[in-house]
Amino acid sequence: MFSKQLILEDGTVYKGYGFGADVENVGEVVFNTSMTGYQETLSDPSYNGQIVTFTYPLIGNYGINRDDYESMKPCIRGMIIGELCEKPSNFRYELTLDEVLKELNIPGIYGIDTRSLTRKIRTKGVIKGCIRSINANVEKVVEELKNTNLPTNQIEQVSTKSISPAIGRGKRVVLIDLGMKVGILRELQARGCDVIIVPHDTTAKEILKYKPDGIMLTNGPGDPQDVPKTVETIKELIGKIPIFGICMGHQLLALAGGAKTYKLKFGHRGGNHPVKNLITGKVDITSQNHGYAVDIDSLRDTDFELTHIAVNDKTCEGIRHKKYPVFSVQYHPEAAPGPHDSTYLFDIFIKNMEA
């Protein structure tokens, strides 16, 4: 017997079986096309406020371990999968997916047609939804969904509240935390960087007091236009210090340069997205997670130029300043989870600081 149902704002219902926590969360339903990396995905702060659908049919088969988290406070609102593996097989496995979601108070549903759901999202766009008991009144829940506004302070929710160092002996990088994945810090530390992590609303004046060699703008959730103070900070830093932006950091850098952003119909989320480097002509397979994009046409009257483009839908995937050592990409070169094709971007950032 079905025990749970996924109810969408438009009245669509998918019946399945519950796992994880028995709580009722409302979130934006999105899909991820990665074949692996469900632990990194559930702990990625960029998914704050979202219910994640995995298109890969079997999830949970290698369990959960202590080392692969991308943040210490996972903030997804729910998980939707086709088939749940209840007995993982992996020498690193410590807990099952079901056990971890119960600990984190995150609900899940399995046994539904995730292919049908994904096609719906691709056709209609992302949509609000929730996981409820099989006995829940669908009409009442749909009305509730229509009257629920998703939060607009998502970066504030996941950004650090205090300044913290990650001490190294190399170049000093001030990392503006917009919802940082640990993978970004890991790549900087691997290159010996002396990293200082600061909240998203830190002013340019405060940042410059640390005498940084470079600025890292991290990934993060939500609409980039929700944090105008951070945009102003970036605007003041351009031309003074080398800057490298990733995902949300890329979008905020574009806004600071005078470009525009817009919401994608269903976003890019997965570990298999081809991106063409317009400078080298090469194509990288990339890891992505974003629901907004930079408007390419809006770059024309700015000091930034397009450097990378998505092969699938021709959206903006990278920009650079025409004069200063300032650049960004929409995808995730720290590649957790996903391919490692684009880790060289961190090396370019190091060279910019050395120069």
Side-chain angles (χ1 to χ4, degrees), residues 28 121 124-126 251 261-269 288-294 313-317 330:
E28 186 179 58
I121 296 172
K124 304 293 184 180
V126 292
Q251 296 166 11
T261 58
Y262 64 97
K263 184 163 185 168
L264 294 166
K265 187 175 182 180
F266 51 83
H268 297 174
R269 298 175 179 89
Q288 302 199 10
N289 175 18
H290 58 276
Y292 290 79
V294 173
D313 62 4
K314 310 305 179 186
T315 53
C316 176
E317 289 288 341
Q330 181 64 80

Side-chain angles (χ1 to χ4, degrees), residues 62-272:
Y62 54 85
I64 300 285
N65 67 80
R66 69 174 189 175
D67 298 324
D68 289 345
Y69 286 103
E70 283 299 311
S71 71
M72 297 309 296
K73 293 181 179 180
C75 47
I76 67 170
R77 302 288 286 172
M79 185 178 290
I80 304 167
I81 61 180
E83 182 180 349
L84 174 68
C85 178
E86 298 178 1
K87 295 182 179 180
S89 177
N90 189 316
F91 73 98
R92 300 172 69 220
Y93 140 67
E94 295 170 338
L95 294 170
T96 67
L97 180 58
D98 177 49
E99 290 170 337
V100 166
L101 290 193
K102 282 184 170 67
E103 285 187 3
L104 298 173
N105 205 35
I106 297 171
I109 185 172
Y110 73 95
I112 74 168
D113 187 349
T114 53
R115 179 178 175 83
S116 169
L117 177 58
T118 301
R119 287 171 63 88
K120 182 179 186 64
I121 296 172
R122 283 181 58 87
T123 303
K124 304 293 184 180
V126 292
I127 187 171
K128 284 183 289 187
C130 61
I131 299 169
R132 293 292 172 90
S133 163
I134 195 67
N135 299 316
N137 184 306
V138 174
E139 292 184 359
K140 185 176 180 180
V141 173
V142 169
E143 189 65 27
E144 177 188 332
L145 288 171
K146 290 179 178 179
N147 294 325
T148 300
N149 294 319
L150 298 177
T152 58
N153 63 333
Q154 295 195 39
I155 290 177
E156 180 183 340
Q157 290 177 358
V158 298
S159 176
T160 183
K161 301 298 185 289
S162 60
I163 296 171
S164 57
I167 298 172
R169 294 182 177 273
K171 295 297 181 180
R172 174 167 291 177
V173 176
V174 169
L175 182 150
I176 301 179
D177 180 12
L178 308 166
M180 178 192 71
K181 288 174 61 181
V182 173
I184 295 175
L185 180 60
R186 189 183 301 122
E187 290 292 338
L188 292 173
Q189 289 180 318
R191 290 160 176 81
C193 291
D194 178 30
V195 183
I196 300 173
I197 304 169
V198 301
H200 76 283
D201 55 358
T202 307
T203 66
K205 184 178 180 180
E206 290 176 282
I207 289 172
L208 292 173
K209 287 180 180 179
Y210 294 106
K211 301 188 183 303
D213 298 302
I215 304 293
M216 171 62 71
L217 309 174
T218 76
N219 62 293
D223 186 341
Q225 297 182 55
D226 288 341
V227 284
K229 289 184 179 180
T230 307
V231 173
E232 286 301 314
T233 292
I234 297 169
K235 189 180 297 185
E236 291 182 45
L237 294 171
I238 293 175
K240 297 178 180 178
I241 305 170
I243 299 175
F244 179 20
I246 293 174
C247 200
M248 175 59 73
H250 158 77
Q251 296 166 11
L252 294 181
L253 182 63
L255 290 175
K260 298 178 181 178
T261 58
Y262 64 97
K263 184 163 185 168
L264 294 166
K265 187 175 182 180
F266 51 83
H268 297 174
R269 298 175 179 89
N272 44 16

